[in-house]
Amino acid sequence: MSATQILDGLIELTNLLQADQDRELGAMGLNQTRTHALWILHHGGPVMQRDLAEAMQVTPRHITTIVDELIESGFVLRVPHPADRRAVLVSLTEKGTSAMEAMVVDHQKLAGDLVEGLSTEHLAALQQGIAHVTTRLAALMAAAHPEDDVTQARDGS
Amino acid sequence: MSATQILDGLIELTNLLQADQDRELGAMGLNQTRTHALWILHHGGPVMQRDLAEAMQVTPRHITTIVDELIESGFVLRVPHPADRRAVLVSLTEKGTSAMEAMVVDHQKLAGDLVEGLSTEHLAALQQGIAHVTTRLAALMAAAHPEDDVTQARDGS
DNA sequence: TATTGTTATACTCTATAACTATA
DNA sequence: TATAGTTATAGAGTATAACAATA
């Protein structure tokens, strides 16, 4: 019986986490998609729109829109590609960089706050449990749908 | 350090869970919103669109669309309200009822599959950990934004 | 000929406002 | 006058297809 409780609890937690993140991002004029783009830039440095599209699994057309919006709000800018005149490099502005740095700090602080009060043993058990469930779920999904690989990692902001 | 790992793991799990559910629902012509409506009907029986709108926290106008789509795909139908000629009752069809029953079974099966292999102690620790984190998150959100209450419970399908 | 990005277009999800029928 | 639902309209997010400039 408690298996269902765990899954339900996980789903509830999921929804809260999402709501919290969406609100946090919304206050800065961001959403999940745009933040994902910033995350990639923050980690990998300037990239071509084409590569961004591939990394985010969206169409090149959509990237145009995403970058337009991020430029509008001052997080990134387009710079000419030094070697290919067809292409542009999308690069974080100073504002974009500091926003991402702040996001990392907030994320770590949130993580600490959430587990505050748990014993070391419970912490370890929780971490193992999450890993276990994630592995099982990935396996089940892979078994049910062998065609598409779920190897995609999402950002952790 | 492992606090961040837990949060990241949770986010990754969250994304997988969502992707899995979306695909499952999509195969039946459903999405989260439409399923939420079915869930409410499955639990509370026929309701007025007005009540559905309130329960789901969407506009009455949006409910019209949702019900239209659910009728289109055969999950529900509109029946006249016995006492109020302005209103209609939205009611599950046989197809809708059995779809929801199947969904409950699948949900329980998934829950069991996901925790299979965990010891009783780890199971208990996992459940407690999830509850702990959820409570902490709800408290943090309530403290940060006292205006809106997050008492809304989402369906667990 | 293949690739990068953009213009043009369309589809899904959701909201606000105005209106109709009934209470 | 207030309420239940619908028509009309709009905005965000995302996709496909056709096209321009460059490789």
Side-chain angles (χ1 to χ4, degrees):
Chain A
M1 175 74 268
S2 109
T4 306
Q5 281 172 35
I6 286 177
L7 181 50
D8 289 346
L10 228 27
I11 288 172
E12 186 194 345
L13 178 52
T14 279
N15 291 328
L16 269 186
L17 224 34
Q18 183 111 2
D20 181 56
Q21 196 178 237
D22 284 353
R23 175 160 50 189
E24 219 69 39
L25 295 179
M28 290 193 299
L30 291 174
N31 62 16
Q32 295 257 146
T33 303
R34 297 199 268 267
T35 306
H36 189 190
L38 293 181
W39 185 261
I40 290 169
L41 294 172
H42 185 58
H43 280 64
V47 290
M48 282 198 308
Q49 291 193 184
R50 177 57 200 248
D51 295 334
L52 205 46
E54 186 152 345
M56 292 175 64
Q57 296 273 78
V58 301
T59 60
R61 176 60 186 89
H62 192 188
I63 286 293
T64 297
T65 303
I66 292 166
V67 172
D68 283 350
E69 291 160 340
L70 288 173
I71 287 172
E72 176 83 22
S73 41
F75 290 103
V76 308
L77 30 74
R78 288 193 177 95
V79 302
H81 191 292
D84 186 338
R85 281 196 299 165
R86 289 171 307 180
V88 297
L89 291 178
V90 185
S91 178
L92 286 179
T93 58
E94 205 168 304
K95 173 179 173 180
T97 301
S98 49
M100 291 315 289
E101 282 166 357
M103 222 176 263
V104 169
V105 171
D106 286 353
H107 181 73
Q108 285 167 353
K109 178 164 178 353
L110 175 64
D113 285 349
L114 289 183
V115 301
E116 189 186 302
L118 285 178
S119 71
T120 311
E121 294 75 31
H122 274 79
L123 241 152
L126 179 57
Q127 183 172 334
Q128 282 174 39
I130 291 167
H132 180 95
V133 169
T134 304
T135 305
R136 300 276 303 160
L137 179 56
L140 287 173
M141 288 175 71
H145 308 272
E147 59 283 7
D148 43 53
D149 63 280
V150 201
T151 327
Q152 281 299 106
R154 284 289 273 171
D155 64 306
S157 60
Chain B
M1 173 75 267
S2 108
T4 307
Q5 282 172 35
I6 286 177
L7 181 51
D8 289 346
L10 228 27
I11 288 171
E12 186 193 345
L13 178 52
T14 279
N15 290 328
L16 270 186
L17 224 35
Q18 182 110 1
D20 182 55
Q21 195 177 239
D22 284 353
R23 176 161 48 191
E24 220 69 39
L25 296 179
M28 291 193 299
L30 291 174
N31 62 16
Q32 295 256 147
T33 302
R34 298 199 267 267
T35 307
H36 189 191
L38 293 180
W39 185 260
I40 290 169
L41 294 172
H42 185 58
H43 281 64
V47 290
M48 284 199 305
Q49 292 192 181
R50 177 57 200 250
D51 295 335
L52 206 45
E54 186 152 346
M56 293 176 63
Q57 296 273 77
V58 301
T59 60
R61 176 58 186 90
H62 191 189
I63 285 293
T64 297
T65 303
I66 291 165
V67 173
D68 284 348
E69 291 160 340
L70 288 173
I71 287 172
E72 176 84 20
S73 42
F75 290 102
V76 308
L77 29 74
R78 288 192 177 94
V79 301
H81 190 292
D84 187 338
R85 281 196 299 167
R86 290 171 305 180
V88 296
L89 291 177
V90 185
S91 178
L92 285 179
T93 59
E94 206 169 303
K95 172 178 173 180
T97 302
S98 47
M100 291 315 289
E101 282 166 357
M103 223 175 260
V104 169
V105 171
D106 286 353
H107 180 75
Q108 285 165 353
K109 178 164 177 354
L110 174 63
D113 284 350
L114 289 183
V115 302
E116 190 186 303
L118 285 177
S119 71
T120 311
E121 293 76 30
H122 273 79
L123 241 152
L126 179 55
Q127 183 172 336
Q128 281 174 39
I130 292 168
H132 180 95
V133 169
T134 303
T135 306
R136 300 276 303 160
L137 179 55
L140 286 173
M141 288 174 72
H145 308 272
E147 59 282 6
D148 43 52
D149 63 280
V150 200
T151 327
Q152 280 300 107
R154 284 289 274 174
D155 63 306
S157 59

